Amino acid sequence: MSKKFRTAINGKWWNFLPLLFTFHFSLFISSCGSDRQTFLLEGTFKGFNQGELYIYGVNGTHRLDTIAVVKGAFRYEVTLEDSVTFALVFPNFSELPVFGEPRAEVEIEGDASHLKETKISGTELNETMTTFRLKTSQMTPPEVTQAAEAFIRENPASPISLHLFNKYYTQIPKPDYKKAVALVTELQKAQPDEPSLKGLAEKMKGLDGLKDGATLPSFTAKDITGKTVKSSELNAPVNVIYTWAKWNYESVNLQRQLSYFHQQKKDKIKVLGICVDVDFKGCSQTAEKDSVKWSVINDGKMWESPLVQKLGLLYVPDNIVTDSKGKIITHSLKPFDLQDKLRDLLKDEDKLP
């Protein structure tokens, strides 16, 4: 090779050196950033050989996703920018909380027939939650609520406390409202930047007025088509108001069940959906996909929605059932209990002359 040719090659190589350095450095930074944001969840369940689990971020922080279970084992990996409280949903709609963090690996080991004894390890939050779950697995419901209250008072800044508050003080038919307001005040002081806690004390006071036998508060709102909806229009023998979100499988499934009742007994039942998704377009698409034939309200404010607060609705799926005069028959039933209640109510309506 001539000296002139070698000089030319070397010249070109040096010219490209800054570009090569930048390229490799970018790859390095990109690779490190990707690893830094990865959350890995894997595990095994006895008694659950094949099928699917569902997972979503509480309060819409992460979209609904599926996890395949093969020979009792599963693996789920996702990129996270911040910590997320996930709900892991089983085919029978039982849920387990999983606390996700960037750069964390979490392992689950359990028995599908004894979910309360499931062990989740890998991070301090998940191991603390596991300790609480195992400690209370044999307690009576009142004892578990007392244990949850004690944990919340001792650890008001913990995401676990927020989960326990939602589970034992909002997601039940008849919570202790006075105690709930006191607890949420402690949570707000310890977690001032937590969005879901803003205004929750006022919501709890509103929920105190949501009682069987009480009159549904009057309201006017716009549905996703722009139509005006009034509470006075809920004048069928049976009326259902419910909350749903496209990221919550249980609520979407309930919506499909309500479609069945509406098709079979449309002259005896009226339904109103309140979608708490911040994504208006996604809400509309899901409603259209599921052939929802009634009004759906979505103002994009999630739990800060004036209507949600006024009605005292606090979680997904929540519900209120009224009669033709706006009297509250029942509220905050679990989906299967709501379906049974509607069957009984509509059956009784068939007996009327």
Side-chain angles (χ1 to χ4, degrees):
M1 183 181 298
S2 68
K3 181 178 180 180
K4 184 176 179 181
F5 182 75
R6 286 198 304 271
T7 301
I9 293 294
N10 289 340
K12 290 182 180 179
W13 183 80
W14 283 110
N15 286 336
F16 279 105
L17 181 58
L19 181 61
L20 289 170
F21 176 80
T22 301
F23 176 73
H24 285 290
F25 183 75
S26 299
L27 283 178
F28 173 76
I29 293 297
S30 176
S31 175
C32 289
S34 176
D35 291 342
R36 186 179 296 118
Q37 305 302 327
T38 297
F39 170 65
L40 175 63
L41 174 66
E42 57 185 351
T44 57
F45 274 101
K46 294 180 181 178
F48 189 8
N49 187 54
Q50 203 86 2
E52 286 184 336
L53 298 171
Y54 295 91
I55 189 169
Y56 65 90
V58 175
N59 289 338
T61 52
H62 192 77
R63 66 181 180 82
L64 177 70
D65 209 347
T66 58
I67 303 176
V69 180
V70 180
K71 295 182 179 179
F74 64 91
R75 176 186 173 91
Y76 180 71
E77 192 168 5
V78 64
T79 298
L80 297 181
E81 295 182 0
D82 298 299
S83 297
V84 173
T85 299
F86 289 103
L88 188 63
V89 188
F90 292 79
N92 64 354
F93 300 118
S94 297
E95 294 189 359
L96 282 176
V98 177
F99 300 94
E101 302 171 24
R103 289 189 295 178
E105 296 183 6
V106 169
E107 185 175 356
I108 298 182
E109 182 180 358
D111 188 324
S113 60
H114 299 88
L115 290 180
K116 291 182 179 180
E117 300 174 6
T118 301
K119 297 179 180 179
I120 306 179
S121 60
T123 66
E124 183 179 351
L125 280 177
N126 285 296
E127 289 168 4
T128 301
M129 186 68 230
T130 294
T131 300
F132 179 88
R133 183 168 46 251
L134 295 177
K135 176 184 175 182
T136 59
S137 63
Q138 301 301 319
M139 290 183 179
T140 63
E143 290 173 336
V144 177
T145 301
Q146 290 177 2
E149 178 188 353
F151 186 97
I152 293 169
R153 292 190 184 280
E154 293 172 7
N155 308 275
S158 172
I160 296 175
S161 293
L162 184 56
H163 163 74
L164 293 177
F165 178 81
N166 286 328
K167 183 174 178 63
Y168 296 104
Y169 287 93
T170 68
Q171 298 178 8
I172 57 175
K174 297 180 180 179
D176 184 332
Y177 301 107
K178 184 176 181 180
K179 187 171 290 184
V181 171
L183 288 175
V184 80
T185 299
E186 291 189 31
L187 289 171
Q188 287 174 318
K189 290 179 180 179
Q191 303 183 47
D193 297 324
E194 172 55 46
S196 64
L197 286 172
K198 294 180 180 178
L200 188 54
E202 290 301 316
K203 296 176 189 177
M204 292 304 299
K205 292 176 183 177
L207 185 58
D208 193 16
L210 182 60
K211 298 176 181 178
D212 295 354
T215 300
L216 182 75
S218 61
F219 63 85
T220 300
K222 294 280 188 181
D223 71 9
I224 56 178
T225 67
K227 175 186 173 183
T228 299
V229 179
K230 298 181 179 180
S231 54
S232 58
E233 297 171 345
L234 297 172
N235 53 11
V238 179
N239 306 276
V240 182
I241 302 173
Y242 69 102
T243 57
W244 67 280
K246 60 183 176 59
W247 43 264
N248 182 280
Y249 178 82
E250 191 175 20
S251 70
V252 173
N253 187 63
L254 173 61
Q255 184 164 252
R256 292 166 184 160
Q257 293 298 320
L258 289 173
S259 291
Y260 169 78
F261 285 108
H262 190 258
Q263 290 171 6
Q264 298 298 315
K265 306 284 185 178
K266 63 177 62 178
D267 57 331
K268 296 181 174 64
I269 183 172
K270 287 187 177 181
V271 184
L272 174 64
I274 301 177
C275 178
V276 295
D277 274 313
V278 71
D279 178 12
F280 180 89
K281 183 178 180 181
C283 167
S284 300
Q285 290 175 339
T286 302
E288 183 178 356
K289 176 183 175 183
D290 290 345
S291 301
V292 174
K293 301 299 183 183
W294 51 80
S295 287
V296 172
I297 296 171
N298 178 291
D299 59 13
K301 298 180 181 179
M302 298 184 72
W303 302 113
E304 299 305 313
S305 166
L307 180 58
V308 169
Q309 294 185 15
K310 187 172 188 176
L311 296 179
L313 299 167
L314 281 178
Y315 59 97
V316 178
D318 202 355
N319 51 79
I320 302 172
V321 181
T322 69
D323 64 12
S324 59
K325 297 181 180 180
K327 179 181 177 180
I328 297 174
I329 300 173
T330 188
H331 71 281
S332 301
L333 295 181
K334 295 294 184 183
F336 287 124
D337 293 333
L338 175 60
Q339 292 172 45
D340 288 342
K341 184 66 175 180
L342 291 178
R343 289 188 187 96
D344 290 340
L345 290 172
L346 294 171
K347 186 186 303 181
D348 289 341
E349 288 301 324
D350 286 339
K351 296 178 182 178
L352 294 177

